[in-house]
Amino acid sequence: MNAPAPLQTSYAPRRWRPAPLITGTAALHVGAAAAMLLEPATWPWATGSVIASHLVLTAAGLWPKSALLGPNWTRLPPSPDANDRIALTIDDGPDPEVTPRVLDLLDEHSARATFFCIGERAQRHPQIVEQIAARGHAVENHSQRHRHHFSLSAPGALRREIEAGQRTLTQITGTRPLFFRAPAGLRNPFLEPVLCDLGLQLASWTRRGFDTRERDAGKVTQRLLDGLAPRDILLIHDGHAARGADGAPVILKVLPELLRTAAQAQLRWTTLREALDENTPKNAPIPVQKAIDAAPFDKI
């Protein structure tokens, strides 16, 4: 497989711009408080409106492909180079049994993928993460511990979890992740400001196979290929992979068909990192990293 072109590996923190839903909710809270102060009898309506706004925020966080809480990559950004590109993202690894076999399949088809790795798993199997990077794939942040209550965390807890994942993966690969995917895709309004401060971009997907629970490889493949189009971002799992009736991880049966079909459709695989680099002006200076980059890795 040909080595990818050198990419930018350093991006400055992004400026946080509250999404309209966030600013609208804040304004509603202020209005509700003012209404109760000026006319106490309005408290049922004011309280009800605040509760309703919180329900909307919760629903937005429970919808992985939502952009209501802030920017979220559900497809590759439009560009002249994206007209025949699709992205394969692989979550929850590394897995010592599955990931090396996934890498071999990708090599056979000259395909590059984006691996969203869990920090703790990466610490247990650093040599596999090194292999992912060495074989031309991108390693991105899927949190340090992949806790199921991640979306219920306060800003400080979110930052500690994401920052720990950043440091773990940077220490192993020598390259800072540029993307973050929340565990199960679930999040809350506090996540985007943290990602902005850490220079990370949230990424979800266009379509997924539900291959952590679906044991039928044919059904997983159909979900991924149904309506496949340029700029799609696909999600499968090398960690927590479901197993078919024969005991084999489903991903190992899904990948060959997926890669063959993409080749027949003349679609080319790219990484999210490459797509980001292609949409960054080539003459733009690489921003200086924040002081966190220079912090010792053992200060987690």
Side-chain angles (χ1 to χ4, degrees), residues 23-45:
T23 55
T25 299
L28 188 149
H29 279 64
V30 172
M36 287 191 291
L37 286 174
L38 296 173
E39 187 58 59
T42 63
W43 73 265
W45 297 98

Side-chain angles (χ1 to χ4, degrees), residues 90-95 115-130 132 139-147 150 160-173 177 179-183 238-240 297 300:
I90 304 176
D91 282 15
D92 291 5
D95 181 281
F115 287 77
F116 280 94
C117 294
I118 298 171
E120 284 188 339
R121 283 179 167 243
Q123 287 174 327
R124 291 197 294 270
H125 309 289
Q127 71 285 355
I128 300 179
V129 180
E130 291 170 355
I132 292 172
V139 175
E140 306 294 352
N141 190 336
H142 198 30
S143 79
Q144 178 69 8
R145 292 171 291 183
H146 199 272
R147 292 193 166 179
F150 174 86
R160 287 190 294 272
E161 179 73 5
I162 298 169
E163 203 169 69
Q166 283 290 93
R167 291 180 176 174
T168 295
L169 298 173
T170 302
Q171 185 177 36
I172 294 171
T173 67
F179 287 87
F180 177 77
R181 178 170 285 162
D238 58 344
H240 304 127
F297 290 116
I300 299 177

